Amino acid sequence: MRFVINDTDIETDIDPRTSLLDLLREQIGLTGTKKGCNQGACGACTVLVDGERILSCLALAVQYEGRQVTTVEGLADQAGLHPLQKAFIEHDGFQCGYCTPGQLCSAIGMAAELQRGLPSHVTGDLSAMAIRATREELAERMSGNLCRCGAHNGIIDAIDEVFGERRGQQGYDAEMPEKVA
Ligand code: FES
Ligand code: FES
């Protein structure tokens, strides 16, 4: 089967029962994506597929043949770290780092959802043309990504500076993710 992972074509035979997470970690050697609960509860395994965040532990790899899969290893580019990665460093958005790859990918997917105007549980005005990326809104949208180290406040601070209402104030200007169809 052919997979496109971090803009690289990869051909590999797989057992059809293999999860996308196990394909990434065990077969391809991209161990940045982490296995926490392996049952959809912690968010550590979050990756992007065509710009949308998914839990790779709950995804069968065969479903993603030919789709654009992005893992934490694919976030930096020739210019260096992604602005969100820099902001995580600046705000101590991690301690052990185990949840970090999932937090980063999830936040980028979350920003795309905001761009698309998808409401969350705490969105006040469902008819608004643009949803305000308040701290409360960001925290709610990131609630599927758990941090056992207590870095939660730093994580939200970092996301706020890159995708929230404090966007760009400290120089971490990130392009908003492209709108996903
Ligand atoms: S490892 Fe996938 S949600 Fe926990
Ligand atoms: S930094 Fe350790 S679990 Fe989040």
Side-chain angles (χ1 to χ4, degrees):
M1 299 189 74
R2 173 182 162 269
F3 295 93
V4 185
I5 300 172
N6 300 328
D7 291 328
T8 303
D9 279 359
I10 293 173
E11 297 256 357
T12 184
D13 293 328
I14 62 166
D15 182 316
R17 296 166 296 184
T18 306
S19 70
L20 181 58
L21 176 59
D22 284 342
L23 172 72
L24 293 170
R25 289 183 55 85
E26 311 298 336
Q27 274 187 245
I28 298 177
L30 290 173
T31 54
T33 306
K34 297 295 184 267
K35 183 181 281 188
C37 63
N38 205 28
Q39 57 181 11
C42 73
C45 63
T46 307
V47 299
L48 297 164
V49 176
D50 297 331
E52 288 193 80
R53 56 181 172 172
I54 67 159
L55 298 173
S56 62
C57 71
L58 296 184
L60 284 175
V62 291
Q63 294 175 279
Y64 296 92
E65 185 179 25
R67 311 264 308 267
Q68 290 279 351
V69 178
T70 304
T71 69
V72 68
E73 290 92 343
L75 297 184
D77 59 20
Q78 306 281 11
L81 293 176
H82 187 285
L84 188 60
Q85 292 174 304
K86 294 180 187 172
F88 264 60
I89 294 170
E90 178 67 24
H91 288 283
D92 291 332
F94 50 85
Q95 290 176 31
C96 76
Y98 202 83
C99 72
T100 313
Q103 302 275 7
L104 292 165
C105 289
S106 184
I108 292 168
M110 181 275 301
E113 291 163 16
L114 266 175
Q115 287 272 85
R116 290 160 62 193
L118 293 180
S120 79
H121 178 62
V122 299
T123 303
D125 183 358
L126 298 182
S127 62
M129 293 297 288
I131 296 171
R132 282 184 58 204
T134 62
R135 197 178 167 84
E136 183 190 18
E137 189 72 63
L138 297 177
E140 166 64 21
R141 287 167 186 268
M142 291 301 296
S143 60
N145 290 79
L146 307 182
C147 175
R148 291 161 182 82
C149 289
H152 180 75
N153 286 338
I155 291 167
I156 300 300
D157 282 343
I159 295 170
D160 195 8
E161 275 191 12
V162 179
F163 296 127
E165 294 198 318
R166 291 164 59 201
R167 184 170 173 223
Q169 287 181 12
Q170 302 297 323
Y172 298 112
D173 256 336
E175 279 182 37
M176 293 300 277
E178 285 176 24
K179 291 188 182 182
V180 183

